[in-house]
Amino acid sequence: MSRRPAGIAAIKNKNLAQAKYKDKGSELAESQFVQMGQQMEMFKNNLEDFAAKHREDIRKDPEFRLQFQEMCASIGVDPLASSKGFWAKMLGVGDFYYELGIQIVEVCLATSKRNGGLISIEDLRRKVEASRGRNSQQISIDDLLQSIKKLKILGNGFSVHKVGNSFLVQSIPGELTLDHTVVLQQAQEHGHVTLSGLIQTLNWEESRGKRALDFLVKECLGWVDDQSGAERSYWFPSLIPDFTTTLT
């Protein structure tokens, strides 16, 4: 009689045990997934109840609206995803942000000839609020940022650039590099810079600073001033508060 090689039975038992552990692990994982799904569904239902109860606060209070947005984001719910779903019907937030997006476009188009299509988020808010009238809902910086996200369906014409502690909204196609953003950041305090100032402050080579400034002027984002002193200055109208209103 032939005998099986030693250890084969043990190997089979080990493989069988591993398969059982794997099946048990899959069963536990599936159970946990179901429980998580149930908890998320319960959380969404509670969120809907909260939204219904505080509808007017969400519609009228920008700070409350921001907190509501953050609550939604924490569970992957986008109340702006559609203008027809529960959130739009319950809160009107879908319509609110789409309407705000249209007003943003109108302000950007009206000011683009003077600021080159680059406007500070604070200036944008002032002008949008003025266009909405005194009896309209208050809007916040976050409201503007949320609406601009929706404007991306128009292509690459709208983008937001972080400059220091604020934002610049770009409403014309064009790619701003880090160097361009740094120049705008340097100009933020006074609205203008000089080439020598950039070289001294940023420790840049002259060619680097000139290249960045020439691009911004070419894109109509900056203006050249040869009359303010011994050295040419580069002014950025988007960084001068209420610049457009002073010219009208």
Side-chain angles (χ1 to χ4, degrees), residues 41-55 58 68 71 86-87 90-91:
E41 187 64 29
M42 184 182 300
F43 194 13
K44 287 183 179 181
N45 290 336
N46 291 337
L47 190 61
E48 291 179 2
D49 293 339
F50 175 87
K53 181 179 179 180
H54 298 281
R55 174 179 178 177
I58 294 171
F68 175 72
M71 288 173 59
F86 165 83
W87 299 107
M90 174 63 70
L91 305 174

Side-chain angles (χ1 to χ4, degrees), residues 158-202:
F158 279 83
S159 56
V160 177
H161 304 279
K162 187 81 164 62
V163 178
N165 296 322
S166 185
F167 298 92
L168 289 176
V169 178
Q170 184 179 359
S171 58
I172 58 173
E175 190 68 28
L176 294 185
T177 67
L178 179 60
D179 279 3
H180 304 144
T181 305
V182 169
V183 170
L184 293 171
Q185 187 170 346
Q186 291 297 311
Q188 192 171 28
E189 183 176 356
H190 302 293
H192 67 93
V193 295
T194 62
L195 178 57
S196 64
L198 292 178
I199 295 172
Q200 182 178 358
T201 305
L202 303 174

Side-chain angles (χ1 to χ4, degrees), residues 124-141:
L124 178 61
R125 179 172 66 170
R126 284 192 292 270
K127 287 176 170 52
V128 168
E129 285 181 337
S131 70
R132 289 167 61 83
R134 291 181 300 174
N135 298 322
S136 299
Q137 295 169 247
Q138 286 186 317
I139 59 174
S140 65
I141 296 298

Side-chain angles (χ1 to χ4, degrees), residues 11-100:
I11 293 174
K12 285 187 174 181
N13 289 335
K14 181 180 179 181
N15 291 340
L16 181 61
Q18 289 177 340
K20 289 182 178 180
Y21 284 131
K22 184 176 181 181
D23 290 341
K24 189 63 176 178
S26 299
E27 181 181 339
L28 290 173
E30 184 177 352
S31 175
Q32 290 176 346
F33 183 78
V34 170
Q35 289 179 0
M36 287 178 61
Q38 292 173 344
Q39 291 174 354
M40 293 295 288
E41 187 64 29
M42 184 182 300
F43 194 13
K44 287 183 179 181
N45 290 336
N46 291 337
L47 190 61
E48 291 179 2
D49 293 339
F50 175 87
K53 181 179 179 180
H54 298 281
R55 174 179 178 177
E56 291 305 311
D57 291 324
I58 294 171
R59 288 171 58 88
K60 295 180 179 180
D61 187 341
E63 185 64 27
F64 203 95
R65 191 159 54 243
L66 172 59
Q67 294 175 359
F68 175 72
Q69 289 277 6
E70 292 174 346
M71 288 173 59
C72 292
S74 68
I75 59 169
V77 174
D78 183 4
L80 312 181
S82 170
S83 60
K84 297 181 179 179
F86 165 83
W87 299 107
K89 183 177 179 180
M90 174 63 70
L91 305 174
V93 291
D95 294 335
F96 166 78
Y97 283 103
Y98 283 107
E99 176 187 346
L100 184 57

